[in-house]
Amino acid sequence: MSRAPRILALPAAVLLLTGSLAACSTPPSPDSTASALATSLQSMDFSTVPLTGVEAGTAGAELAEALKSLEAVERTVVLDSVSEDEGSKDPRTAAATYTTVWDIDSSEEDWSYQSSATLEFDKDSKTWLARYSPSIAVPGLEAGQYVGKKATAAKRGDILGDKDQTLVTDRPVLRIGIDKHSLEEGQWESSAKELAKLLDIDAKAYSARVAAGGASAFVVALTLRDDTDRTVTDDQLAEIPGVLAQADSLPLAPSRTFARAVLGSVGEATAEILAESKGGINPGDQVGLSGLQKTYQDRLAGTKGYSIGIYNKDKEEVSSLVSREAIDGKDLKTSLDTDSQKLAESLLEDSDSDSALVAVRPSDGAILAAASGPASNAQNTALLGKYAPGSTFKVITALAMLRSGQKPDSTVDCPATMTVDGKDFKNYDGYPSSALGKIPLSEALAQSCNTVFLEGATEVKAPAIAEAAASLGLNPRPSTGADSFLGSVPDDSTGTELAAGGIGQGTVEASALGMATVAASVQNAATVSPYLVDGADPASAPQTPLSASEAKALSSMMAEVVDHGTLKDLKKLSGPKIIGKSGTAEYDSERNAHAWVIAARGDLAVAVFVGDGSGGAQTAGPILAGFLAKTR
């Protein structure tokens, strides 16, 4: 809860300067001093309030030091009442009461209490003075004491997968570093460099961190999974003076690579995160740094508990002021399937360019696997990659052509080349000559005739292509519960840009998730809205949803791609019928190309993308086959 500082507004008459009051016949009121003290307690600047017993600067410095642990916490001080003590004479005294409210954290439960101050009238200056005591800020606080806050950690929620599989939970780790307290100062640098060499990290940078730490600091060099990541032995560590291997736990996935770009990581709060938290996160706190861990930080982290008390100079608690129990974080349920994700990652592990494999369950849109290859360097290529989808996009162009009145068996012309607005286009190298000339539309998709779909896009126009893309799930505003991109299909293209878009080139873009959704929509016989996090609101429905008859026609055409077209190698796989489409998208003048393939079988739709390939069927096809061979 955030609020602007408030000071009780008193009538203007009582806020007159005390010098002016001296000229009045009526004895001055204590209200002005009481109000000024409220302002000073708010700002810790006592220069505007007349004090007795201490200098204004001393009072401010003492209280600021005593409340240092709460300096980042917003507070409000309000003057409740002020009244002169009956019968008081030499000196006349008055009592002022205040309410202080601390906005301890983001919850609605603030810490609130009342304190009081004694005011006395100085006859010489005809001014009401405030008797200073630390207790006017916090009841019970005495000189030499301070208010301390101790946090109680909440248990972080787990990230779960399909059928409540545990994906991320606390797993044992070793924090390996230099314990400076156990070394002489002259040993810090040599031990740091020796440990850095052993762990293969930047020796200069680590030595600098060790030097910058406190004299008794434990400076972590590397955090390793206790078992799977152990690259050094206990004996090697023991040979370096001052090295400490501290057992701990961290929220981790089953392996270092498992859905890393999607799930994200947990680590020590950065300076930026600390600044944005406004005191809600403390140095050293473990927070979500990326992926779902960052997006759902508040849900997963829960709410820390705390206790606030008064402590003496020996750090012993004198009295407890307020406390609150920690509230554990909540689990986050996702659709990822452990086996599917592991299999997808294993099939991409040898790829030396950006790559991705996404599997979607057509019946409900659940994202079962979202794997990005190692060359993606932990970037989320699977859900966020933006690439020309090549000939896999012909499924979308085919839908637009069907809606214009054509049928799978409609005769179309497939010339070897064609020119659009002065730009020459041709079929891919190795296109079968037997499939040139007059052929059915279904055969054009099966053999991937570029010229048919270049012409088709030109005839149906850009709005129809964009609408067909939306009908097959390429929603420009996906709602998966995670950062996602499905596709971008302009509705205002003309000329060569429109023609190129018809074969998935030009300005058309899609992700592996987007193209898996296209295959899923065909298989589902209705537009699919993919999701990763349970409870995510479905994306808005397309203006023209995919109909069952349209899906049936597309499915029959995509079945021919597998039966005798560019993906006929998939016929070797056992099990239910497979439908699919391959694609290749050139991305530079040297004809380097992205390789794509999409397919569906049963209640499973898959897209494979490889950044640099020799062809969709040749490069991405075997990866898809490997995935389908081990899934049912």
Side-chain angles (χ1 to χ4, degrees):
M1 183 184 300
S2 177
R3 57 177 65 80
R6 297 183 289 117
I7 300 299
L8 185 66
L10 296 176
V14 302
L15 297 177
L16 295 175
L17 296 175
T18 55
S20 298
L21 291 171
C24 300
S25 57
T26 304
S29 164
D31 293 357
S32 178
T33 297
S35 180
L37 183 57
T39 303
S40 297
L41 289 170
Q42 178 85 46
S43 65
M44 293 298 161
D45 179 0
F46 289 83
S47 61
T48 60
V49 61
L51 299 176
T52 180
V54 68
E55 295 290 332
T58 302
E62 182 178 84
L63 275 184
E65 183 63 27
L67 301 176
K68 189 173 183 179
S69 67
L70 301 177
E71 64 183 349
V73 181
E74 293 185 22
R75 71 179 184 283
T76 302
V77 181
V78 176
L79 172 60
D80 295 326
S81 65
V82 56
S83 59
E84 193 169 341
D85 298 327
E86 294 184 10
S88 62
K89 291 185 179 179
D90 257 341
R92 288 163 56 193
T93 59
T97 60
Y98 303 88
T99 294
T100 300
V101 180
W102 296 80
D103 187 15
I104 295 297
D105 54 30
S106 58
S107 72
E108 296 182 1
E109 297 180 15
D110 295 327
W111 175 33
S112 177
Y113 58 81
Q114 281 195 322
S115 61
S116 62
T118 299
L119 313 180
E120 65 177 62
F121 184 67
D122 180 67
K123 292 186 294 183
D124 294 335
S125 63
K126 293 185 170 40
T127 302
W128 283 91
L129 309 177
R131 291 178 183 172
Y132 171 75
S133 166
S135 64
I136 63 177
V138 178
L141 182 64
E142 298 178 1
Q145 297 177 337
Y146 67 93
V147 176
K149 178 186 176 185
K150 293 184 177 179
T152 306
K155 183 183 182 300
R156 194 174 183 89
D158 292 341
I159 297 181
L160 308 177
D162 191 41
K163 300 177 183 177
D164 291 331
Q165 301 162 339
T166 300
L167 303 183
V168 179
T169 190
D170 276 349
R171 303 181 196 273
V173 297
L174 281 180
R175 299 182 185 274
I176 301 174
I178 297 295
D179 177 19
K180 295 176 67 175
H181 181 70
S182 66
L183 294 173
E184 298 293 332
E185 183 174 353
Q187 296 177 287
W188 293 346
E189 182 177 3
S190 60
S191 286
K193 288 183 176 180
E194 193 174 348
L195 178 59
K197 182 179 179 181
L198 177 64
L199 298 177
D200 194 25
I201 62 174
D202 189 321
K204 184 177 180 180
Y206 180 58
S207 297
R209 285 201 291 120
V210 171
S216 299
F218 170 51
V219 184
V220 176
L222 207 59
T223 300
L224 303 175
R225 291 171 181 260
D226 195 9
D227 297 320
T228 59
D229 285 351
R230 287 298 298 272
T231 57
V232 295
T233 66
D234 292 337
D235 289 341
Q236 288 174 306
L237 295 174
E239 291 176 0
I240 304 173
V243 167
L244 176 64
Q246 190 178 69
D248 201 350
S249 65
L250 275 179
L252 296 172
S255 69
R256 179 177 290 276
T257 60
F258 184 90
R260 180 169 56 176
V262 176
L263 300 175
S265 63
V266 175
E268 191 169 312
T270 63
E272 181 181 4
I273 291 173
L274 291 173
E276 290 177 352
S277 76
K278 297 181 179 179
I281 296 174
N282 299 319
D285 282 357
Q286 298 292 308
V287 300
L289 299 177
S290 60
L292 296 180
Q293 291 286 7
K294 182 177 182 179
T295 301
Y296 294 92
Q297 163 64 18
D298 291 343
R299 174 192 177 93
L300 289 165
T303 305
K304 289 184 295 184
Y306 62 82
S307 63
I308 299 175
I310 296 175
Y311 294 80
N312 61 26
K313 62 182 179 181
D314 295 323
K315 300 183 179 180
E316 297 173 337
E317 188 176 51
V318 176
S319 63
S320 175
L321 298 174
V322 66
S323 63
R324 189 187 69 188
E325 294 294 324
I327 302 173
D328 289 342
K330 296 180 180 179
D331 294 343
L332 183 69
K333 178 78 165 56
T334 77
S335 59
L336 289 180
D337 174 71
T338 302
D339 291 340
S340 297
Q341 182 70 26
K342 288 181 177 179
L343 174 59
E345 290 176 0
S346 70
L347 292 167
L348 297 177
E349 63 184 2
D350 293 329
S351 177
D352 56 6
S353 65
D354 289 353
S355 57
L357 189 156
V358 175
V360 172
R361 189 162 55 212
S363 59
D364 62 0
I367 300 171
L368 301 175
S372 301
S376 295
N377 293 320
Q379 297 301 305
N380 196 347
T381 304
L383 303 187
L384 292 171
K386 297 181 180 182
Y387 301 95
S391 291
T392 57
F393 193 82
K394 290 174 182 173
V395 174
I396 292 167
T397 306
L399 174 59
M401 294 170 70
L402 292 173
R403 287 176 172 177
S404 73
Q406 299 203 44
K407 298 178 180 179
D409 60 358
S410 295
T411 300
V412 293
D413 189 24
C414 177
T417 63
M418 70 179 299
T419 302
V420 180
D421 285 355
K423 180 175 176 60
D424 294 330
F425 291 90
K426 67 173 187 174
N427 289 317
Y428 62 85
D429 294 339
Y431 183 84
S433 59
S434 60
L436 291 172
K438 304 295 184 180
I439 59 173
L441 178 59
S442 59
E443 186 67 6
L445 189 73
Q447 303 301 337
S448 203
C449 176
N450 286 341
T451 53
V452 165
F453 293 96
L454 288 162
E455 178 68 22
T458 301
E459 291 181 352
V460 300
K461 308 302 182 188
I465 299 290
E467 187 175 329
S471 300
L472 286 167
L474 283 192
N475 193 308
R477 291 174 294 277
S479 182
T480 64
D483 289 342
S484 305
F485 170 80
L486 293 178
S488 175
V489 183
D491 62 2
D492 57 357
S493 299
T494 58
T496 57
E497 182 180 288
L498 171 59
I503 59 171
Q505 300 267 191
T507 56
V508 169
E509 290 182 323
S511 67
L513 171 62
M515 295 315 297
T517 302
V518 168
S521 295
V522 174
Q523 188 75 350
N524 188 49
T527 307
V528 168
S529 177
Y531 76 91
L532 180 71
V533 176
D534 272 22
D537 294 330
S540 57
Q543 185 174 352
T544 307
L546 181 69
S547 70
S549 60
E550 291 169 342
K552 182 178 180 180
L554 289 174
S555 179
S556 68
M557 295 165 70
M558 293 172 68
E560 292 191 37
V561 176
V562 176
D563 179 71
H564 62 274
T566 57
L567 291 178
K568 56 182 177 292
D569 285 349
L570 296 181
K571 286 182 66 177
K572 302 173 184 176
L573 298 175
S574 60
K577 180 184 73 174
I578 300 173
I579 64 173
K581 182 71 187 82
S582 62
T584 306
E586 295 178 4
Y587 63 83
D588 62 20
S589 59
E590 298 180 0
R591 304 190 67 186
N592 290 309
H594 304 316
W596 287 89
V597 65
I598 61 175
R601 180 181 65 184
D603 201 12
L604 181 68
V606 186
V608 177
F609 162 80
V610 179
D612 291 311
S614 57
Q618 294 79 11
T619 303
I623 297 173
L624 173 71
F627 189 81
L628 292 179
K630 295 184 178 180
T631 53
R632 290 287 185 271

